[in-house]
Amino acid sequence: MSIIDFEAPLHTAHRDNHTHLDVNGGWLRPAVFGAMDGLVSNLALMTGVAGGAVAPHVIVVTGLAGLAAGALSMAAGEYTSVASQRELVLAELEIERQQLRKHPVDEMEELAELYVSRGVEPALAREVAMQMSRDPEQALEIHAREELGIDPDDLPSPMVAAVSSFASFALGAMIPLLPYLLGATTLWPAVLMALLGLFACGAVVSRVTARSWWYSGLRQLVLGGAAAGVTYILGTWIGGAVG
């Protein structure tokens, strides 16, 4: 007996509401994690320096330097990483294009066999592969999706990755700096604002996970707070040792 009723009517409610979240995270995941990285790393850097009992302006300079260095490093790293990935994909696409040009029948048979392995009847699989192989560009796109798992029309942009990484990291790194820039002379307002930012980032991340917002927020708050606490203790110890 068939488990799936293929002749069942398509209900309007199901058609209108049958949507899924972007499991890859879309733009939200890299943006939030970039901001979180900037927040945690700059908070830890500033608390480490503050542990050495330095003047407030030294902490501000340290925070600004950490923001600039971290954001530039993130941008350069993302640009290089995405550009290298893109170049690799383009090279693989060129290899596949040459194979389609030199061995079109073999490539068509390969596509048909792939459909057969997924449960399509051999005759139908061959007919589908034959029709899809008539257009060279369409054939290339299908082989890229099926064999390489990539979409030739949706390759990542190195510049977009670099700019977004720079901006998100800088935004996160600015959070613990704001109290000092607004006139604070002690570390605690910066720590409080940073912890609130960590909780907010964690809560936003729950939109692309199955966790509740409060669990994700508390988890990030604890981890970021622990990193800041460890560097503060190290800064206090080092400051006392060299002072």
Side-chain angles (χ1 to χ4, degrees), residues 158-184:
M159 186 56 68
V160 170
V163 172
S164 60
S165 295
F166 181 94
S168 61
F169 186 97
L171 179 62
M174 180 59 70
I175 293 176
L177 268 171
L178 278 176
Y180 280 102
L181 296 177
L182 294 175

Side-chain angles (χ1 to χ4, degrees), residues 22-161:
D22 181 0
V23 296
N24 291 321
W27 61 269
L28 180 64
R29 185 180 184 278
V32 173
F33 277 94
M36 200 178 296
D37 189 16
L39 202 167
V40 173
S41 62
N42 218 30
L43 173 63
L45 177 64
M46 292 170 62
T47 54
V49 173
V54 299
H57 75 275
V58 176
I59 300 175
V60 173
V61 172
T62 300
L64 290 173
L67 184 156
L72 290 171
S73 176
M74 285 285 291
E78 280 295 304
Y79 185 91
T80 302
S81 175
V82 173
S84 299
Q85 179 186 5
R86 184 184 179 91
E87 290 163 3
L88 175 61
V89 169
L90 291 175
E92 291 297 321
L93 287 175
E94 184 58 32
I95 292 174
E96 192 64 34
R97 184 180 284 110
Q98 292 176 8
Q99 291 298 314
L100 286 167
R101 188 183 304 118
K102 295 178 180 178
H103 309 287
V105 176
D106 292 339
E107 290 294 315
M108 185 189 69
E109 291 292 341
E110 186 179 83
L111 188 61
E113 290 174 3
L114 189 147
Y115 290 140
V116 170
S117 70
R118 295 185 177 179
V120 180
E121 296 181 358
L124 178 58
R126 183 177 176 80
E127 179 63 26
V128 171
M130 186 180 301
Q131 291 186 23
M132 290 183 169
S133 299
R134 290 173 181 172
D135 182 353
E137 287 304 312
Q138 177 178 271
L140 176 64
E141 180 179 341
I142 294 169
H143 279 274
R145 290 177 183 272
E146 299 292 350
E147 296 179 27
L148 304 176
I150 59 175
D151 183 355
D153 298 325
D154 191 28
L155 298 182
S157 166
M159 186 56 68
V160 170

